[in-house]
């Protein structure tokens, strides 16, 4: 298969997200990375640290996507229940991993190691480690499920370890054209262009300036030629309507 | 029922979110607002502008929660398919709403009105309007589903219109205690305190300082007395471990 259709889902786990204490930024980071690899992100879910919810979501999402990425809940405290839930979702036991045990025991100074620290060495039997260049204690992979930390810097480090192992596909190319015009005035023309260019995905995103609302047109395609053709038509339409198209 | 259990789900709709072009901020805004009203947010989903996905998620989420709030996809362009999908999810037809038609026709200067603008007047038959103090064109409610715009300022305005109509419950009170200590050192003590105070939800959130990682403890409860008791124990534990608890 030259250009396989690869899909992904993201599961963000943590009460801090669903109570609004924390603005999630992990999903957006992963969305951009996956997009650049030609992996289609079809769903993001965010749920509290609730065992039933985590198991249900993990099992639903891992079945319907090439990859599932989870963030959050793999630290050393009582509220870190993700590893246990992943094990249960797969019908596996948690097992102390000797490699992680060693990493914890040998970490450089500045880290406190107490018995609870070793909770982070308990991962589902058979899981493969995900390297962590930031705080060293690994995440893990079970089949198509990648289990990462919730702290953004650590999650990003873990994703760097995962990236080389993921299948990728042709990424979309995109162009953003600022119209300087209100959204409604472009609507009919955009619909017609979208209709003639099914291989191009055309989105319309309003934003506010002091004089009123204006719109940017975002166009995406797998093929540069298709994109250029449709973008040319959008620019021509904007000029016809009295606007000045600006490629951003 | 004095203190009913009210739950909510949020559905964020838009390719701009799943491709990473836009960092969603609507879910976090709504999470905070719902939390302050004692409404438990149990799931956030984010999906592309895909008819099948929207219909499926709307029907799943509206059945399992007191309220479902959607954002995105109710503008005038071809990629705004949310209203159509909501109608299909309920087995209803879209219908031109005369009240919205009037609002569009009478908007103050600075707005361009073309035939496509009136697409925003097509809402599912029987839907109730949600006021929009920002750009005036309403969102709508069907049963327990509140359909709002994706532009954050407009969504917030619409939520202000919705708020007085929502059932609320006792909100949680919370306290954040910075320990100045690494997470692992608190793990056993926190687990014991959590075990003795089931009415209090205790979360542990690490953050980085130049000297290493430290942790904040976030405690939430419906009852101030419970919260204060558990918070006192956490502070005592931090002191015992050589830290200086600071309430944030």
């Amino acid at each position: 298969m030259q250009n396989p259709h690869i899909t992904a889902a993201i599961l963000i786990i943590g009460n801090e997200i669903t109570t609004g204490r924390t603005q999630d930024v992990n999903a957006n980071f992963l969305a951009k990375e996956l997009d650049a690899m030609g992996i289609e992100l079809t769903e993001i879910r965010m749920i509290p640290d609730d065992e039933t919810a985590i198991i249900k979501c993990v099992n639903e999402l891992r079945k319907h996507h090439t990859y599932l990425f989870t963030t959050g809940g793999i630290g050393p405290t009582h509220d870190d229940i993700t590893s246990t839930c992943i094990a249960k979702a797969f019908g596996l036991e948690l097992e102390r991993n000797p490699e992680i045990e060693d990493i914890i025991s040998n970490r450089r100074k500045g880290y406190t190691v107490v018995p609870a620290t070793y909770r982070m060495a308990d991962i589902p039997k058979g899981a493969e480690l995900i390297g962590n260049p930031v705080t060293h204690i690994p995440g893990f992979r079970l089949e198509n499920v990648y289990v990462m930390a919730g702290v953004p810097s650590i999650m990003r480090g873990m994703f760097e370890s995962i990236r080389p192992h993921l299948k990728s596909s042709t990424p979309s190319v995109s162009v953003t054209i600022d119209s300087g015009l209100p959204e409604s005035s472009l609507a009919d023309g955009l619909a017609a262009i979208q209709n003639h260019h099914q291989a191009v995905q055309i989105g319309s995103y309003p934003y506010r300036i002091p004089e009123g609302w204006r719109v940017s047109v975002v166009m995406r395609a797998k093929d540069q030629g298709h994109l250029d053709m449709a973008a040319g038509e959008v620019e021509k339409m904007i000029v016809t309507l009295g606007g000045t198209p600006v490629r951003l």
Side-chain angles (χ1 to χ4, degrees), chain A residues 17-159:
Chain A
I17 305 297
T18 51
T19 60
R21 179 181 182 267
T22 301
Q23 163 71 59
D24 170 72
V25 294
N26 289 337
N28 182 251
F29 171 85
L30 290 170
K32 283 191 253 196
E33 295 293 325
L34 296 170
D35 190 58
M37 298 175 74
I39 298 173
E40 190 187 349
L41 175 60
T42 43
E43 188 169 341
I44 301 163
R45 285 196 201 180
M46 304 187 181
I47 54 173
D49 300 300
D50 175 88
E51 180 172 304
T52 309
I54 298 172
I55 295 174
K56 178 174 165 287
C57 289
V58 166
N59 278 333
E60 276 177 31
L61 295 172
R62 73 186 173 101
K63 273 178 203 134
H64 295 107
H65 300 85
T66 315
Y67 298 120
L68 168 61
F69 301 94
T70 79
T71 74
I74 62 168
T77 52
H78 67 279
D79 57 329
D80 291 304
I81 63 170
T82 298
S83 300
T84 303
C85 295
I86 299 278
K88 288 189 181 177
F90 279 88
L92 294 169
E93 297 292 315
L94 281 190
E95 191 177 68
R96 181 135 308 180
N97 181 285
E99 199 176 327
I100 306 182
E101 242 181 336
D102 279 357
I103 291 169
I104 292 172
S105 304
N106 297 320
R107 283 203 298 182
R108 60 175 173 71
K109 276 181 197 165
Y111 288 99
T112 306
V113 177
V114 296
T117 314
Y118 290 96
R119 280 197 70 207
M120 293 188 278
D122 295 335
I123 63 171
K125 209 176 150 99
E128 190 179 89
L129 304 191
I130 296 173
N132 167 359
V134 182
T135 52
H136 315 297
I137 301 177
F140 61 86
R141 175 184 75 81
L142 257 181
E143 295 180 12
N144 62 338
V145 182
Y146 293 79
V147 180
M148 298 185 285
V151 175
S153 59
I154 305 176
M155 188 279 297
R156 290 170 194 209
M158 287 180 175
F159 189 76

Side-chain angles (χ1 to χ4, degrees), chain A residues 87-242:
Chain A
K88 288 189 181 177
F90 279 88
L92 294 169
E93 297 292 315
L94 281 190
E95 191 177 68
R96 181 135 308 180
N97 181 285
E99 199 176 327
I100 306 182
E101 242 181 336
D102 279 357
I103 291 169
I104 292 172
S105 304
N106 297 320
R107 283 203 298 182
R108 60 175 173 71
K109 276 181 197 165
Y111 288 99
T112 306
V113 177
V114 296
T117 314
Y118 290 96
R119 280 197 70 207
M120 293 188 278
D122 295 335
I123 63 171
K125 209 176 150 99
E128 190 179 89
L129 304 191
I130 296 173
N132 167 359
V134 182
T135 52
H136 315 297
I137 301 177
F140 61 86
R141 175 184 75 81
L142 257 181
E143 295 180 12
N144 62 338
V145 182
Y146 293 79
V147 180
M148 298 185 285
V151 175
S153 59
I154 305 176
M155 188 279 297
R156 290 170 194 209
M158 287 180 175
F159 189 76
E160 294 311 317
S161 306
I162 293 168
R163 191 204 308 271
H165 304 288
L166 298 176
K167 289 180 283 186
S168 61
S169 182
T170 308
S172 293
V173 281
S174 77
V175 61
T176 300
I177 301 172
D178 182 35
S179 70
L181 296 170
E183 188 171 33
S184 280
S185 56
L186 267 66
D188 287 339
L190 281 185
I193 295 169
Q194 174 68 86
N195 208 32
H196 287 115
H197 296 277
Q198 296 292 331
V200 182
Q201 196 182 70
I202 307 179
S204 148
Y205 300 102
Y207 62 92
R208 182 147 183 86
I209 60 167
E211 294 75 31
W213 291 82
R214 299 293 179 263
V215 76
S216 287
V217 179
V218 177
M219 311 177 70
R220 292 164 51 86
K222 291 283 179 186
D223 179 87
Q224 186 72 52
H226 282 146
L227 183 69
D228 289 342
M229 216 177 344
E233 292 183 24
V234 167
E235 288 171 325
K236 204 179 295 175
M237 173 190 68
I238 291 169
V239 171
T240 306
L241 292 166

